[in-house]
């Protein structure tokens, strides 16, 4: 029963939503919409559960005086600060805006900027023309980079058009191939989940 | 009864389900999957972690189990997590699972717990194994890379749904000298993962992971039905291309 | 083995390539792309009675790429005087909505009759499906607490089919694929604003005409500013981006040169 009930509930919900997509029957559509709304509510509860895990982990780190304890303290201060400001003063309040504009925006943007340095390190270390295929890939990557940078059109005015062709033709073709394969995999995985064949979330098979 | 315009897609879906069930019923026959280096490397990396006494890190990426395509990628990664958790329980290794989405946290935590219980090591399970970092993309990436730098895991497994943070994770992992196994279906950052990781699962190799690792006959039969679907898609593309080139758009209208 | 080139020199070069053009703009020429032009032409044909649905599903980390696109669109839509409904499916998107509304109110639009903020809906694709099917049921109140049934702008707007066009800023989930899947049944015109990294997959949907057009990255924002004839941040930042790309290209070439030299040395030994 411990395994069968969750599988049945999951399968039943999946079948109802899928059936509502294909079958023209108003009560089914209403039930499907209701289940999707329940999904939204469950997501909010899952966020609470995950937040408890986050807070517990960092409180433990502070209690055990680990080397990262100061960072855990900073995290908890910001976590509770922005949560309480948003809950009690609203998202338009000065407190919430301070946390958002003063901390979240600049820190997020800074990390996104760091991505450039990681990319540079990866490009320098790994983009090697080790084989014929790698050389082709490298040359097309260089062509797209030159096409997307204004400096490319200074070197040769055909680079932007070439970049658009690479993105619009071979890239789109490969993307569609992967998309078709992935969609079939997605369908098959969905069918396996709905039939209760894949039950990894309930633990091992036997 | 069927909503107008969706008859064909209903037919395709019904055919896939029927084929899956038919092949499952023939489950006594064992279908084989070609060797996938990335999946074999998982066991090798856990073996290396056991020798070195270093932890293992796993992340199913930033996908949510309730959201479209990322749900299936994430569930496929959770299947691999179940296998990894049972291995780390068996070898008494420290496992850390980094999570980005709250829904995925709930599923991953349950999966790890059940795997440890099934492996006969319920005492080794701890709620600290699965750690929710942040739904914020780069906060999650920074947490993972911070973990790599501090704990120096010897095996880093990044399988699931990733976005731009894939570069940060893959390169951050590579810089620590760990064995890195990456896997994703999403096209965008796949190239960076291929460049930076030691082993890689590309596209549907991730979906096959559960079946490959467990060698479950029923799951392998489902993979077989998927292959038939791909064959049908290839035939449809070739026939459709020829028809459109000849000026006939009947197949295009059917699929639309 | 002694490293042929310390990566930190390249980091310094990248840093300088970004900073120097900001202090001293180079004025590098920018060529117009087709995808951005299609978006601008479509939005330019809008009339003050048209109602748009704008979904700013991005957070501050990508402000550098999607922020200039947002600002360019605010300028253009402010000039056209269109009406807009805002809803987001990522938590930080609400702050982006605020920036939109502030910008459009400055251009003379009024909240309630021309603009409405429906806030954030959790649930990603599930929420998308629920929202497009019945907006008032998915959002009984707007972000300011007013019942959506009482908002004048939403009087005749019930499903996605009732809006003229959808503008989606994509960063995370829900992304282009999710919107294409959920908008399919409604058949509405749909425009994507994405980062450079997401461009490769989004182009596929533009090519297959599932999405009308695409504003991609900082370059897309700069192209939009050119079309607006209102040059702003994106245009000035393109110099930095171009030089940074040059450093990347140089790093790739340098890496390959070093690789071949080391390989040759190993063979000689």
């Amino acid at each position: 029963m411990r395994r069968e009930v969750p599988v049945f509930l999951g399968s039943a919900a999946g079948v109802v939503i899928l059936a509502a997509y294909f079958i023209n029957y108003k009560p089914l559509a209403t039930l499907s919409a209701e289940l999707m709304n329940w999904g939204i509510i469950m997501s909010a509860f899952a966020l609470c559960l995950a937040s408890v895990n986050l807070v517990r982990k960092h409180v433990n780190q502070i209690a055990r005086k680990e080397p990262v304890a100061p960072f855990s303290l900073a995290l908890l201060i910001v976590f509770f600060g922005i949560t309480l400001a948003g809950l009690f003063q609203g998202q338009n309040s000065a407190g919430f805006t301070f946390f958002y504009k003063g901390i979240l925006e600049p820190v997020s943007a800074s990390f996104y900027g760091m991505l450039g340095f990681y990319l540079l390190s990866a490009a320098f270390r790994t983009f090697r023309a080790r084989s014929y295929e790698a050389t082709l890939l490298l040359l097309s990557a260089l062509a797209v980079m030159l096409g997307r940078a204004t400096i490319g059109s200074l070197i040769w005015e055909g680079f932007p058009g070439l970049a658009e062709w690479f993105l619009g033709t071979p890239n789109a073709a490969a993307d569609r191939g992967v998309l078709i394969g992935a969609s079939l995999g997605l369908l098959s995985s969905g069918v396996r989940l709905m039939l209760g064949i894949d039950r990894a979330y309930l633990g091992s098979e036997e | 009864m069927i909503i107008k315009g969706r008859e064909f897609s209903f037919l395709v879906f019904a055919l896939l389900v029927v084929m899956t069930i038919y092949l499952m019923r023939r489950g006594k026959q064992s279908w084989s999957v070609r060797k996938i280096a990335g999946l074999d490397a998982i066991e090798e990396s856990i073996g290396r972690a056991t020798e070195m006494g270093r932890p293992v890190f796993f992340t199913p990426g930033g996908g949510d189990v309730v959201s479209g395509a990322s749900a299936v990628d994430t569930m496929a990664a959770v299947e691999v997590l179940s296998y990894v958790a049972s291995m780390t329980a068996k070898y008494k290794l420290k496992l850390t699972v980094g999570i980005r989405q709250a829904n995925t946290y709930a599923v991953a935590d349950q999966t790890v717990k059940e795997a440890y219980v099934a492996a006969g090591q319920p005492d080794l399970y701890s709620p600290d194994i699965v750690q929710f970092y942040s739904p914020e993309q780069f906060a999650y990436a920074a947490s993972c890379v911070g973990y790599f730098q501090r704990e120096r895991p010897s095996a880093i497994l990044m399988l699931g749904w990733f976005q731009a943070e894939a570069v940060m994770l893959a390169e951050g992992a590579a810089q620590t000298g760990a064995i890195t196994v990456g896997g994703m279906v999403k096209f965008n950052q796949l190239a960076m993962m291929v460049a930076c990781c030691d082993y890689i699962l590309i596209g549907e190799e991730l979906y096959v992971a559960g079946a490959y690792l467990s060698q479950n006959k029923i799951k392998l039969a489902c993979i077989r039905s998927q292959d038939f679907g791909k064959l049908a898609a290839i035939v449809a593309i070739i026939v459709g291309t020829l028809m459109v080139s000849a000026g006939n758009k009947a197949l295009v209208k059917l699929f639309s | 083995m002694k490293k042929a080139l310390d990566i930190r020199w390249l980091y310094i070069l990248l840093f300088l390539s970004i900073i120097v053009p900001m202090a001293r703009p180079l004025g590098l020429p920018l060529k117009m792309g087709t995808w951005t032009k299609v978006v601008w032409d479509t939005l330019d044909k809008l009339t003050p009675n048209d109602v748009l649905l704008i979904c700013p599903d991005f957070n501050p980390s990508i402000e550098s790429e999607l922020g200039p696109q947002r600002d360019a669109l605010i300028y253009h839509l402010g000039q056209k005087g269109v009406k807009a409904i805002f809803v987001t499916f990522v938590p930080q998107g609400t702050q982006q909505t605020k920036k939109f509304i502030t910008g459009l109110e400055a251009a003379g639009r009024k909240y309630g009759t021309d603009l409405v903020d429906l806030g954030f809906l959790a649930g990603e694709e599930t929420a998308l499906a629920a929202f497009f099917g019945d907006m008032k049921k998915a959002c009984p109140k707007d972000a300011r607490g007013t019942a959506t049934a009482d908002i004048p702008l939403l009087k005749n707007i019930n499903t996605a089919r009732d809006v003229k066009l959808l503008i989606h800023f994509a960063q995370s989930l829900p992304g282009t694929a999710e919107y294409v899947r959920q908008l399919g049944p409604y058949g509405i015109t749909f425009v994507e604003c994405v980062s450079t990294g997401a461009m490769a997959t989004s182009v596929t949907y533009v090519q297959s005409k599932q999405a009308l057009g695409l504003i991609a990255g900082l370059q897309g924002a700069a192209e939009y500013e050119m079309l607006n004839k209102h040059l702003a941040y994106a245009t000035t930042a393109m110099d930095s981006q171009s030089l940074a790309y040059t450093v990347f290209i140089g790093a790739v070439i340098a890496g390959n040169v070093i690789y071949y030299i080391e390989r040759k040395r190993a063979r000689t030994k």
Side-chain angles (χ1 to χ4, degrees):
Chain A
M1 280 300 275
R2 204 171 137 258
R3 296 168 71 86
E4 281 76 14
V5 170
V7 170
F8 172 74
L9 287 173
S11 302
V15 166
V16 163
I17 292 173
L18 202 55
Y21 180 78
F22 290 116
I23 296 168
N24 195 0
Y25 184 51
K26 193 129 171 60
L28 200 58
T30 310
L31 182 60
S32 167
E34 202 57 37
L35 282 171
M36 286 196 278
N37 283 333
W38 289 6
I40 297 169
I41 295 165
M42 284 197 298
S43 296
F45 274 103
L47 191 61
C48 290
L49 189 70
S51 301
V52 165
N53 170 271
L54 183 79
V55 169
R56 197 197 61 231
K57 175 195 156 189
H58 288 282
V59 165
N60 285 342
Q61 278 175 182
I62 295 169
R64 289 196 292 256
K65 295 193 176 83
E66 290 182 15
V68 293
F71 301 107
S72 294
L73 183 65
L75 184 144
L76 290 174
I77 289 169
V78 175
F79 177 87
F80 284 109
I82 197 167
T83 306
L84 294 170
L87 272 174
F88 294 108
Q89 296 178 334
Q91 288 190 35
N92 295 321
S93 64
F96 189 89
T97 309
F98 163 75
F99 280 109
Y100 188 87
K101 285 194 181 330
I103 300 174
L104 186 60
E105 267 192 20
V107 172
S108 298
S110 303
F111 267 101
Y112 193 69
M114 269 175 63
L115 201 60
F117 294 90
Y118 276 97
L119 267 169
L120 182 67
S121 171
F124 178 67
R125 192 174 61 83
T126 63
F127 287 10
R128 302 285 161 88
R130 288 195 176 93
S131 62
Y132 172 67
E133 291 87 1
T135 309
L136 269 182
L137 190 65
L138 199 55
L139 290 173
S140 51
L142 287 173
V144 171
M145 274 198 278
L146 284 167
R148 295 292 296 174
T150 53
I151 209 129
S153 53
L154 282 177
I155 298 169
W156 177 49
E157 59 184 32
F159 271 125
L162 184 64
E164 271 197 26
W165 179 82
F166 265 115
L167 287 166
T169 309
N171 167 71
D175 190 28
R176 283 188 190 120
V178 171
L179 202 59
I180 290 169
S183 301
L184 285 165
L186 195 153
L187 267 174
S188 176
S189 297
V191 166
R192 291 206 305 269
L193 279 164
M194 279 202 300
L195 293 176
I197 299 165
D198 278 353
R199 288 181 281 187
Y201 55 93
L202 292 176
S204 68
E205 295 303 303
E206 273 67 47
Chain B
M1 191 169 149
I2 306 289
I3 294 173
K4 195 171 180 300
R6 295 180 192 176
E7 297 92 341
F8 185 71
S9 51
F10 176 73
L11 183 66
V12 167
F13 180 74
L15 274 172
L16 186 70
V17 172
V18 163
M19 194 161 34
T20 303
I21 295 172
Y22 168 72
L23 288 168
M24 271 165 51
R25 284 178 167 268
R26 285 180 60 189
K28 296 270 185 312
Q29 179 177 351
S30 183
W31 306 106
S32 65
V33 177
R34 65 169 168 82
K35 205 163 165 50
I36 299 175
L39 291 172
D40 293 335
I42 291 175
E43 194 165 346
E44 180 198 325
S45 64
I46 292 175
R48 183 175 181 243
T50 313
E51 283 165 24
M52 293 174 70
R54 306 290 318 152
V56 173
F57 181 86
F58 184 99
T59 178
D64 199 333
V65 291
V66 298
S67 177
S70 77
V72 180
D73 295 10
T74 308
M75 289 307 293
V78 165
E79 278 206 72
V80 180
L81 173 60
S82 180
Y83 174 77
V84 169
S86 63
M87 296 275 286
T88 54
K90 185 173 150 191
Y91 295 120
K92 298 190 172 72
L93 282 173
K94 183 183 173 192
L95 171 68
T96 302
V97 182
I99 301 288
R100 185 179 159 191
Q101 299 290 350
N103 291 319
T104 313
Y105 164 75
V107 172
D109 191 46
Q110 181 67 14
T111 301
V112 168
K113 191 175 181 180
E114 294 286 338
Y116 271 65
V117 166
Q121 303 284 2
D123 298 334
L124 289 180
Y125 166 77
S126 146
D128 290 337
I129 290 175
V130 182
Q131 295 177 3
F132 172 71
Y133 289 147
S134 171
E136 179 67 28
Q137 186 178 2
F138 289 104
Y140 155 75
S143 302
C144 291
V145 173
Y147 180 87
F148 301 159
Q149 298 286 339
R150 285 192 308 273
E151 303 290 331
R152 298 275 169 180
S154 69
I156 296 173
L157 310 170
M158 300 171 287
L159 302 158
W161 191 91
F162 296 90
Q163 295 174 283
E165 75 273 10
V167 176
M168 213 176 236
L169 293 176
E171 183 60 17
Q175 284 173 359
T176 63
I179 288 189
T180 48
V181 180
M184 56 190 291
V185 179
K186 201 168 179 288
F187 199 60
N188 280 354
Q189 305 297 332
L190 188 56
M192 292 308 303
M193 272 226 171
V194 169
C196 298
C197 291
D198 297 321
Y199 298 94
I200 188 78
L201 300 174
I202 298 176
E204 307 106 89
E205 287 176 353
L206 183 62
Y207 294 148
V208 171
Y212 184 94
L213 291 169
S214 63
Q215 289 295 309
N216 181 298
K217 287 190 176 132
I218 291 177
K219 286 186 184 178
L220 288 170
C222 294
I223 304 301
R224 185 86 176 160
S225 74
Q226 207 175 303
D227 283 348
F228 280 124
K230 269 186 236 167
L231 190 62
I234 290 168
V235 168
I237 288 168
I238 293 170
V239 169
T241 308
L242 291 170
M243 283 174 71
V244 167
S245 305
N248 185 332
K249 290 193 178 171
L251 205 60
V252 172
K253 281 190 187 141
L254 185 66
F255 275 94
S256 304
Chain C
M1 187 191 290
K2 190 180 166 190
K3 279 193 186 149
L5 177 63
D6 194 329
I7 189 71
R8 287 174 292 185
W9 286 113
L10 289 174
Y11 289 162
I12 291 169
L13 203 56
L14 181 65
F15 178 73
L16 289 172
S17 72
I18 294 167
I19 290 292
V20 166
M22 283 185 174
R24 207 190 142 87
L26 303 171
L28 293 170
L30 181 66
K31 198 167 173 192
M32 182 58 57
T34 44
W35 304 317
T36 312
K37 184 90 175 56
V38 166
V39 175
W40 192 90
D41 288 342
T42 306
L43 295 184
D44 207 46
K45 290 188 185 110
L46 294 171
T47 65
N49 286 330
D50 291 327
V51 181
L52 308 186
L53 180 59
I54 301 180
C55 304
D57 293 341
F58 68 104
N59 58 43
S61 62
I62 208 158
E63 179 72 27
S64 54
E65 287 203 275
L66 298 191
Q69 293 178 12
R70 175 200 62 222
D71 295 338
L73 277 168
I74 288 172
Y75 181 84
H76 195 198
L77 294 175
Q79 285 194 321
K80 300 310 296 182
V82 296
K83 302 179 197 306
I85 301 166
F86 293 89
V87 68
T88 179
F89 300 92
V90 302
Q92 294 98 337
T94 53
Q95 297 299 315
Q96 302 304 330
T97 300
K98 270 171 62 178
K99 289 179 185 177
F100 255 111
I101 288 180
T102 306
L104 289 171
E105 278 177 337
R109 307 284 91 212
K110 273 202 177 130
Y111 191 90
T113 48
D114 303 318
L115 307 169
V116 69
D117 177 4
L118 295 177
F120 159 64
L121 275 180
E124 292 166 5
E125 195 168 353
T126 315
L128 268 179
F131 180 77
F132 291 148
D134 190 336
M135 290 187 193
K136 290 191 182 95
K137 188 171 180 191
C139 300
K141 287 187 181 173
D142 77 347
R144 299 183 186 189
T146 313
T148 45
D150 299 334
I151 296 176
L153 179 59
L154 298 178
K155 194 174 160 206
N156 297 319
I157 308 286
N158 296 304
T159 72
R161 205 168 269 126
D162 300 326
V163 299
K164 179 83 177 176
L165 183 139
L166 186 148
I167 301 175
H168 174 228
F169 288 79
Q171 180 194 357
S172 177
L173 295 168
T176 313
E178 284 75 24
Y179 272 74
V180 164
R181 272 200 296 275
Q182 296 305 327
L183 282 174
Y186 303 98
I188 78 162
T189 313
F190 154 58
V191 159
E192 274 292 295
C193 302
V194 298
S195 64
T196 312
M199 182 177 60
T201 44
S202 299
V203 161
T204 316
Y205 298 105
V206 172
Q207 252 231 347
S208 60
K209 298 187 174 36
Q210 287 165 302
L212 173 77
L214 184 69
I215 307 176
L218 194 64
Q219 182 164 345
E223 288 165 0
Y224 210 92
E225 284 173 3
M226 269 174 62
L227 290 163
N228 279 346
K229 295 188 174 56
H230 183 253
L231 302 184
Y233 171 77
T235 311
T236 52
M238 274 307 292
D239 286 344
S240 296
Q241 182 169 290
S242 294
L243 282 193
Y245 274 34
T246 313
V247 170
F248 269 92
I249 291 164
V252 169
I253 293 170
N256 277 281
V257 165
I258 290 166
Y259 168 68
Y260 277 108
I261 291 171
E262 283 176 353
R263 203 167 78 164
K264 201 173 170 185
R265 263 192 214 150
R267 277 195 192 143
T268 315
K269 278 182 186 167

